[in-house]
Amino acid sequence: MSGRFTEAELEDIKQRNPIADVAGGYTKLRRAGGRLVGACPICGGRTSSQRFEVIEKDGTWVCAVCPDGGDVIRLVEKVEGCDFLAAIERLGGRVAIDAKRQKEIFEERERKRLAREKTAADYREAERKRLFRTWKGALPIHGTLAAAYFEGRGLALPERCPGLRFLPDMKYFHGERIDDRGRKVARVIHSGPGMCGAFIRPDGKFGGLHLTWFNVQADGRVVKAEIVDPDTGEMLNAKKMRGSKTGAYILVSKALVLPRRLILGEGIETVDSVFTPWLHAGRSIEDTEFWAAGDLGNLAGRANTTIAHPSLKRPNNSPVRVPDRFPDPDDPGLAIPDSVEEMILLGDGDSEAFLTECAMERAARRYGRPGRVIRIAMAPSEADFNDVLRAA
Ligand SMILES: [Zn+2]
């Protein structure tokens, strides 16, 4: 008998030997928050630490102590200390698979895959709806602590700013805790005033939220909150993005008419750092719109491939790879209105220079079309955008 197995034969063995049954024969498994956990049958990792886990929907297992994981065949190999062929024998061996059984095997696998995808899609949609309820419950931003935060940084809050709102009490989730019934649930480590920005998807629908937490200092100044991980003492980012932002943007300043000009940057404050001098210089904001994309990857969209960084190396001395200057044609990126004749892309100094340069060029290629001028404005830091624009 040859050592080679067809995909159908391996799939048949896995379907005949559900991972939960096989693992359950080696160790006592229990359900915890929708997961199957127990003592590791390989290393004996303790039940209490829940380091051995069976992922039924994927037909896999993982142990964080070993550390190892894989499918049911690999589990038998590790527990029994045998090789691949012996593991297969213990799982009932190879059986001849006729065309009918082969069809069944692949249909079953496809059915499971679709069920998994549907679960993931359902989860994303439930999260989107939760975030949308948060958004609907938030207050207009003008006259709030969030507005005071912008003022404190010398920034003007746009009059038409439909993409930003304020919440007096916003929860910051980090890590998990065990509830009264022994289930793992998301843990709230901070609660306080914050700003939420709505990501609008290419289809015009709400996609997710950009969240920023604030603290009010003794002198009344509003600053970004200092949030500390209670386990590690590590300072956490006072900003978070939840839901989906792919191809979506936050409308920082809305035009009064169909926009002819679009200013597009990564962060809300970066974009507002350009809006402010633009407003003070008396330049037209009636036909100009200001958008924040959330991050560089979303601003520029997916790349066709990755390229080697000219100087940065990984620990093994191979070059760091970064997304290329050319867009992946299958990713449309942000939905730029047809009316836009001029785009200014803001590259801020937060990300690595070469990575940023490639992303800016990629965005320019992606959004370029006859009759549209695209300019790239690079700045070493947010504040310097004022100088960049005065010089333009
Ligand atoms: Zn283990």
Side-chain angles (χ1 to χ4, degrees):
M1 180 165 111
S2 136
R4 284 177 190 276
F5 286 78
T6 65
E7 208 184 326
E9 285 169 337
L10 289 175
E11 189 61 31
D12 175 57
I13 289 162
K14 291 177 197 174
Q15 285 182 16
R16 281 190 280 125
N17 295 279
I19 185 80
D21 295 352
V22 175
Y26 291 133
T27 186
K28 192 168 155 40
L29 294 171
R30 63 184 188 88
R31 286 207 181 268
R35 307 176 318 151
L36 268 178
V37 296
C40 176
I42 304 157
C43 69
R46 297 295 299 247
T47 311
S48 58
S49 60
Q50 300 181 349
R51 294 291 176 77
F52 179 79
E53 185 179 346
V54 168
I55 303 113
E56 283 179 287
K57 63 181 171 60
D58 300 330
T60 60
W61 60 278
V62 64
C63 172
V65 179
C66 282
D68 206 343
D71 60 17
V72 69
I73 301 167
R74 183 160 179 83
L75 179 68
V76 173
E77 279 181 70
K78 300 299 285 188
V79 178
E80 310 264 354
C82 63
D83 67 11
F84 182 76
L85 287 175
I88 288 196
E89 283 311 311
R90 280 167 213 229
L91 291 170
R94 173 174 8 206
V95 289
I97 290 170
D98 59 16
K100 180 167 167 285
R101 174 65 188 140
Q102 176 149 342
K103 187 161 167 285
E104 276 172 19
I105 288 166
F106 288 120
E107 279 172 359
E108 172 66 6
R109 185 167 69 176
E110 183 63 4
R111 193 189 59 74
K112 281 188 177 161
R113 191 185 65 78
L114 289 174
R116 267 203 307 274
E117 277 184 5
K118 186 174 181 307
T119 307
D122 285 352
Y123 176 83
R124 282 196 302 272
E125 181 58 12
E127 166 79 345
R128 193 185 75 86
K129 284 188 171 148
R130 259 195 308 275
L131 295 169
F132 189 53
R133 279 196 296 274
T134 302
W135 170 251
K136 282 195 294 188
L139 306 167
I141 192 165
H142 295 96
T144 67
L145 283 178
Y149 170 78
F150 283 98
E151 282 159 26
R153 298 203 59 188
L155 297 172
L157 199 57
E159 193 183 330
R160 293 179 301 278
C161 182
L164 300 177
R165 290 184 185 173
F166 174 73
L167 275 173
D169 196 34
M170 211 157 74
K171 288 184 176 67
Y172 191 104
F173 292 97
H174 185 74
E176 292 173 326
R177 65 178 181 84
I178 309 294
D179 73 4
D180 303 339
R181 295 155 90 176
R183 293 173 308 190
K184 277 194 176 180
V185 292
R187 177 177 59 167
V188 177
I189 60 161
H190 173 89
S191 205
M195 172 174 72
C196 47
F199 280 108
I200 304 302
R201 304 191 307 203
D203 64 2
K205 283 190 172 172
F206 175 91
L209 285 180
H210 181 292
L211 308 164
T212 312
W213 280 263
F214 300 121
N215 270 348
V216 184
Q217 289 185 323
D219 62 3
R221 267 181 13 102
V222 182
V223 295
K224 276 202 196 91
E226 292 191 353
I227 302 167
V228 175
D229 185 333
D231 294 333
T232 64
E234 177 200 358
M235 185 74 86
L236 300 170
N237 198 340
K239 291 182 190 173
K240 268 190 185 204
M241 290 189 264
R242 287 178 58 191
S244 165
K245 65 173 187 302
T246 307
Y249 68 94
I250 298 166
L251 184 49
V252 176
S253 180
K254 187 173 165 53
L256 268 181
V257 293
L258 278 180
R260 289 200 311 114
R261 196 179 295 104
L262 178 63
I263 320 284
L264 175 62
E266 277 184 65
I268 295 163
E269 286 162 59
T270 303
V271 170
D272 199 31
S273 296
V274 172
F275 172 84
T276 301
W278 191 285
L279 179 75
H280 292 162
R283 299 182 71 167
S284 160
I285 53 165
E286 278 70 32
D287 61 355
T288 304
E289 211 142 84
F290 292 75
W291 292 11
D295 64 28
L296 194 58
N298 196 44
L299 184 154
R302 209 161 55 223
N304 212 9
T305 182
T306 61
I307 51 170
H309 191 284
S311 57
L312 287 183
K313 302 272 190 247
R314 296 194 306 195
N316 69 0
N317 214 34
S318 66
V320 167
R321 299 194 69 83
V322 301
D324 195 9
R325 302 166 189 270
F326 293 89
D328 176 347
D330 291 337
D331 177 17
L334 301 167
I336 309 299
D338 288 336
S339 59
V340 171
E341 297 163 3
E342 182 187 2
M343 266 180 93
I344 302 177
L345 304 172
L346 310 177
D348 57 39
D350 295 349
S351 304
E352 198 276 323
F354 182 72
L355 177 84
T356 308
E357 186 189 307
C358 289
M360 289 295 131
E361 281 193 38
R362 189 164 79 243
R365 288 197 169 95
R366 172 168 271 129
Y367 303 125
R369 60 172 62 181
R372 180 182 290 166
V373 177
I374 300 196
R375 292 197 281 153
I376 297 172
M378 296 292 293
S381 75
E382 282 177 9
D384 291 307
F385 265 117
N386 300 7
D387 305 328
V388 171
L389 278 145
R390 268 199 288 273

